[in-house]
Each structure stands twice: as C-alpha cells, then as structure tokens.
Amino acid sequence: MSFDLVLFGGTGDLAWRKLMPALFQAFRHGSLPAGGRIIGVARDDLTDQAYRELIQARFEEVEGAKRPNAAEFEKFASLLHFVRLDLSKPEDYARLKERLDSRSADTVVMYLATSPALFTTACEQIGKSGLATPRTRIVLEKPLGHDLASNRQINETVRSVFEEQQIFRIDHYLGKPAVQNLFALRFGNALFEPIWKREYIANIQITIAEDLGVEKRGAFYENTGALRDMVQNHALQLLCAVGMEPPIDSSADAIRDEKLKVLRSLKPWTQESLERHTVRGQYIAGTAYGERVQGYREEPGVDPDSRTETFVALRTEIQNWRWSGVPFYIRTGKRLASRDARIEVNFRPTPHPIFPAPEGASNQLAISLQPKDGLELHLLAQGQDGRGKGARADGTALSPVQLDLDFDKRFGAERVGAYERLLLDVIAGRLNLFVRSDEQEAAWRWVEPILDFWQTGKPRSYAAGTWGPSASSAMIARDGYNWSEEN
Ligand code: BG6
C-alpha cells in the first residue's frame, strides 16, 4: 500500500521532536509500508535535499533520540520531500496538489502539526483546492480549540471537508504502550474485571507529573495552561480507559461509545465542588535535580503577572452503577518532584482483618506509564520472622510486598512508541486510538465550568521540584486519603 504523508508544520517543533523520530523508528522497525513519501510542508524555502539535511541536523538535538547511523538515515531520507506552502495562499495548495498528483498513492495523510489557530484555514483550503478525496485522511493535533465553542467550530469546518471516518484526532497518551496494556489487563484477563467496581475499589488516582518546566513553549503555554494542555485530553482519556465499561468488541466506535459514556457520566460541577475539588497552582523558583531553576513567571514568553496554571488537582466521580461514590483524583503539573505518570487503583481494606497490618495498608494496582511502562500489584504478606511494625509474638503481622512487571524488560526495550504507533495506525486507517468529536465535546463541556471559575482569583504558588501546592494534599485528605507518594 503506497502512501503520502503530508506534514503541515514540517519544520516545526512537533515535526522534528516527535513525528520525524517516530517515523524514523517505524522505518528502522520495518513497519512503515514500502513506497511511501513523507512530504514536509512549511513556509520556508527549501529543496528536498535541504529539508533532509535540516531534519538530520535536528535529530542530533532531540534529547534521547536514537542517533541515526548515516547509512540508515540516508535510506530514510530518500522518503523525505519538501513543498513550500503558505497556509493562506490557494496557489500554494495547487502546487502541493501537483506534487501529490505526480503519482497516485493509495492513501494520502494530511497531518496538521501547526498551531491550532490555523486548522480552520488549512482545512478550508484543503477542501477548496481539491486535496480532500476519499483516499485522504486528516490528522489533527491537540489542543482542538480553546473551549467548547471553538472546538465545535473547528470540528464543523473539518467535517464540512472530510467524513468522520477520515478524521484522526490525536491524543498521544492513547498511543502509549501502558494504555494499550490497561485495555489488555481489563478486557483480556478475567481476573480484575469482577472486582473493578465500587464494592472493592476505594479510590482511583491519576497522576501525570512532569519534572520539566515549560521549556521554550512559554508563549503557547501562557494561553493554554495545564487544564487545557493536559486534563481536557490526556488525563480524561486515561480516566475513560480505567473507568469505561467493557466494549462489545474492539472496533473504534465500540471503544469510543464507552469512553463517551464515561465523559457524560462525570459529576457536574457546582459552586461548592468547584471550590472544594479543584486546585490550581503555578511554580515559583525552586530546586530541581539539585539545580536552582526559575519560576514560571520568569520563563521566556510568559507574562510576569501571569495567572496561568501549571498545576491542576481535581476530584470527580463517575455517576453510574459501577462507580457511584468512588472518588477519581486527577493531578498534573510541570516542575514537579519527578517525571512520573501513573494510574493507581486503590482497593478497599479487607472487611474483617484478622492480622495486624501497617496503618492504612491495602491492595493497590499501579499502572505506570512513565518513566517505566509497567504494572505493580501491592499486596500484604507475612515475612518469615514476623518482625517489623505491628509484629506479634506468633509472627502473624503483615508487611507490604509488591509484584512488579516491567513491560520494557519483558517485551524488549525497542518497543513501539506512542507517535510511532499512532502514525502507523493513521496510515493503516485504524481509528481505535483516536478521539471522536463527541468525546472531545463532552470533555470540553465538563472542563468549561472550571475554566469559568478560574476567570477570577489566581493560582497558588508551589516551589519547583515539589508535588504542587499543599491545597492539593488537603483536598484529598478531606476524603481520608493521601496521594501515594505521601503514604
Ligand atoms: C503534550 C503537552 O500534549 O504532552 C506537553 O502539550 C506535555 O505540555 C506533553 O509536556 C507530555 O507528554 P509525555 O508523552 O512526555 O508525557
């Protein structure tokens, strides 16, 4: 199957940091279908050769990226092409069309890796210039819109040009191997599903902590904030994956129908819950990895009086039979104590304890997304000599132990990364791991009251390198729980 992958924003940050390395990996793994072209599109004036050299040079700058060996890169580079295009100029789209028509690929993927403000213009022009045909697919990066109204407007424009089946809304968290494994764990094993409910689960915590600050994206982040950047999409998609009902099959719509039901069942906000169950923070200077780092307001591109949140903690519930009354906590932020993304399912204690156990000890299943991709099952066991906290003369005291599954070790370190997986899915036309417009709208609808509530007031400060403002711990403590690292 031949394909043309057109990367709008082909010289931009996302293209060279994430997309090109992912495509190169797919090429190295031999999973990129043969006979493909990758066509970078941007306003720069570059030849194909100059574009190849630029991408090669940029690869060197990507932290952690595999240094391409020259021979390997040369083969990959032969797939790379470049077309100069100003998104607002119809004649430039005509030139792109000529290039695409120079051969007839089976699939044409248009990836909008540009600023979201340009999505509408780009889609309209793609439609007008005859670039949207039944063999075309469009990929839209998040954030899709700034609020519900702008999200709807973008979706309407895109749908006036493409059928829903041709639209791939990316949330790269859905491409992470740990999320695939969560689906496998829940729906490929009989063990957990019977206890995956309110009777056995006390609470669920979703943490996406980053140790980095906003880096060079201050200007973008200033108008976005953590709620729009991470919660509306990534964190809510994780909540859906952990909270959804078993779908009738593994088809895209069966999965998306169930995720949509979760989003529609989220507890509506009231003035009281907005006050009690939302916390926003902004990092000030602090110490990260032994080094002094600046505060958010000192970052380039950021307003010195900024009220943009770099940290969010929320408590919500899924109002249905399975989850009634079970709190779901979400927490995400920049410049936190470590890079750590995980979902923790905390089980209720035994109904009738007969052994002494450490205070508050109970079972926990932790699905770790990063830095490692794995599963931990926390259990209680009897140490042989019965020593330790709460030990009794007859040696029956319990101590926490853990079963630890490291998927990278188990399945090999060269596993398929999120963008690699998702790009291959687009080329193959698999929509399972992409977000449908009604899901996105439901997520915006739920997030909007928080955005409105935060129109006034300001975020609480937290020192870089910590776990966020103390109000986040206080919020969860009111329910009698702690964030895990505080146990
Ligand atoms: C992006 C956000 O969607 O996800 C970034 O815009 C964030 O602000 C990134 O840093 C986190 O992704 P990952 O895969 O590094 O956890």
Side-chain angles (χ1 to χ4, degrees):
M1 187 200 62
S2 59
F3 72 91
D4 279 339
L5 170 59
V6 184
L7 269 184
F8 290 83
T11 52
D13 215 53
L14 183 71
W16 63 269
R17 263 184 205 284
K18 300 278 187 191
L19 304 179
M20 283 297 176
L23 288 163
F24 182 52
Q25 278 300 86
F27 177 78
R28 289 181 65 236
H29 290 154
S31 34
L32 209 56
R37 288 192 301 187
I38 299 163
I39 305 176
V41 160
R43 271 193 304 199
D44 314 54
D45 199 1
L46 297 175
T47 59
D48 287 354
Q49 187 51 33
Y51 186 54
R52 289 167 190 165
E53 282 162 18
L54 178 79
I55 296 298
Q56 185 170 22
R58 290 270 164 97
F59 264 34
E60 309 285 321
E61 294 167 33
V62 179
E63 215 179 299
K66 287 247 161 342
R67 292 277 169 277
N69 93 30
E72 221 172 22
F73 186 81
E74 206 169 306
K75 281 191 206 144
F76 173 68
S78 68
L79 310 182
L80 302 181
H81 301 263
F82 188 80
V83 173
R84 181 171 53 79
L85 182 140
D86 179 329
L87 287 175
S88 60
K89 289 193 178 151
E91 61 274 23
D92 287 5
Y93 289 82
R95 213 147 25 82
L96 174 61
K97 186 164 185 307
E98 253 172 52
R99 192 76 176 256
L100 293 177
D101 288 349
S102 66
R103 68 163 201 168
S104 186
D106 299 319
T107 301
V108 178
V109 175
M110 309 251 173
Y111 197 126
L112 300 190
T114 61
S115 150
L118 302 170
F119 285 177
T120 317
T121 315
C123 274
E124 281 168 356
Q125 293 294 345
I126 287 170
K128 281 187 195 147
S129 58
L131 277 166
T133 68
R135 65 194 170 102
T136 315
R137 296 181 187 134
I138 183 123
V139 187
L140 304 165
E141 258 297 331
K142 64 157 268 282
L144 213 58
H146 203 65
D147 53 17
L148 180 59
S150 53
N151 173 262
R152 279 191 172 148
Q153 200 206 336
I154 297 173
N155 273 326
E156 265 165 38
T157 311
V158 184
R159 277 198 305 247
S160 68
V161 180
F162 294 98
E163 300 292 327
E164 184 68 34
Q165 297 306 317
Q166 296 174 282
I167 308 172
F168 290 70
R169 296 177 193 82
I170 265 205
D171 183 313
H172 78 278
Y173 266 62
L174 288 178
K176 289 193 186 268
V179 179
Q180 317 299 305
N181 268 317
L182 175 56
F183 286 124
L185 177 87
R186 289 198 56 200
F187 307 130
N189 293 281
L191 198 60
F192 290 106
E193 206 47 29
I195 53 167
W196 210 257
K197 52 172 134 169
R198 62 189 300 278
E199 287 84 352
Y200 300 99
I201 293 179
N203 69 81
I204 293 187
Q205 302 183 11
I206 297 172
T207 294
I208 312 177
E210 295 184 86
D211 50 358
L212 294 178
V214 289
E215 305 289 283
K216 293 180 185 143
R217 295 162 78 227
F220 157 81
Y221 199 85
E222 186 56 2
N223 292 314
T224 308
L227 190 67
R228 290 186 177 96
D229 190 40
M230 299 297 286
V231 177
Q232 187 274 339
N233 31 71
H234 304 325
L236 285 184
Q237 285 294 329
L238 296 184
L239 184 139
C240 286
V242 76
M244 69 197 257
E245 296 298 314
I248 53 167
D249 56 35
S250 62
S251 66
D253 275 336
I255 294 172
R256 302 191 301 179
D257 287 346
E258 296 307 334
K259 287 195 288 157
L260 177 63
K261 280 193 218 158
V262 171
L263 293 166
R264 287 193 173 147
S265 318
L266 291 177
K267 193 170 186 173
W269 293 104
T270 60
Q271 185 62 28
E272 195 202 341
S273 64
L274 286 166
E275 281 162 14
R276 286 173 62 82
H277 297 151
T278 69
V279 175
R280 63 180 150 155
Q282 188 186 68
Y283 64 85
I284 54 173
T287 308
Y289 295 105
E291 275 179 28
R292 196 78 193 145
V293 294
Q294 62 192 358
Y296 175 68
R297 292 179 176 192
E298 287 95 59
E299 302 275 15
V302 171
D303 180 348
D305 296 321
S306 170
R307 294 193 303 118
T308 300
E309 79 285 355
T310 59
F311 174 93
V312 175
L314 303 173
R315 176 204 192 275
T316 186
E317 288 174 28
I318 299 175
Q319 294 187 309
N320 64 12
W321 193 298
R322 183 190 288 263
W323 293 118
S324 182
V326 177
F328 283 72
Y329 304 101
I330 293 174
R331 173 178 61 156
T332 183
K334 301 254 183 221
R335 278 282 184 237
L336 296 183
S338 65
R339 174 169 154 84
D340 188 7
R342 51 174 51 226
I343 302 171
E344 285 164 356
V345 180
N346 292 308
F347 290 90
R348 293 188 189 282
T350 50
H352 177 63
I354 57 167
F355 302 116
E359 173 85 15
S362 57
N363 300 135
Q364 183 195 74
L365 177 70
I367 297 124
S368 162
L369 284 79
Q370 52 210 28
K372 90 172 181 200
D373 168 18
L375 274 182
E376 289 160 18
L377 185 59
H378 296 252
L379 304 167
L380 291 159
Q382 284 196 19
Q384 273 190 339
D385 59 3
R387 282 183 304 205
K389 213 171 157 193
R392 289 202 306 206
D394 63 1
T396 54
L398 300 183
S399 337
V401 289
Q402 161 179 342
L403 292 174
D404 209 336
L405 190 55
D406 181 330
F407 288 118
D408 289 330
K409 278 200 191 128
R410 178 67 187 77
F411 295 122
E414 281 269 321
R415 297 183 62 213
V416 175
Y419 270 104
E420 181 181 351
R421 162 85 202 238
L422 294 173
L423 282 160
L424 291 171
D425 278 359
V426 182
I427 294 170
R430 286 189 291 264
L431 273 160
N432 301 38
L433 298 177
F434 294 84
V435 183
R436 212 167 52 191
S437 62
D438 48 6
E439 283 179 75
Q440 259 182 354
E441 286 190 11
W444 275 117
R445 200 171 292 116
W446 185 76
V447 154
E448 247 186 2
I450 313 173
L451 290 172
D452 292 343
F453 178 60
W454 287 352
Q455 286 291 320
T456 53
K458 55 183 183 54
R460 296 162 192 270
S461 302
Y462 63 96
T466 65
W467 282 104
S470 58
S472 150
S473 312
M475 178 189 81
I476 190 166
R478 281 198 291 273
D479 291 342
Y481 303 124
N482 293 316
W483 295 112
S484 289
E485 77 281 352
E486 295 163 356
N487 281 328

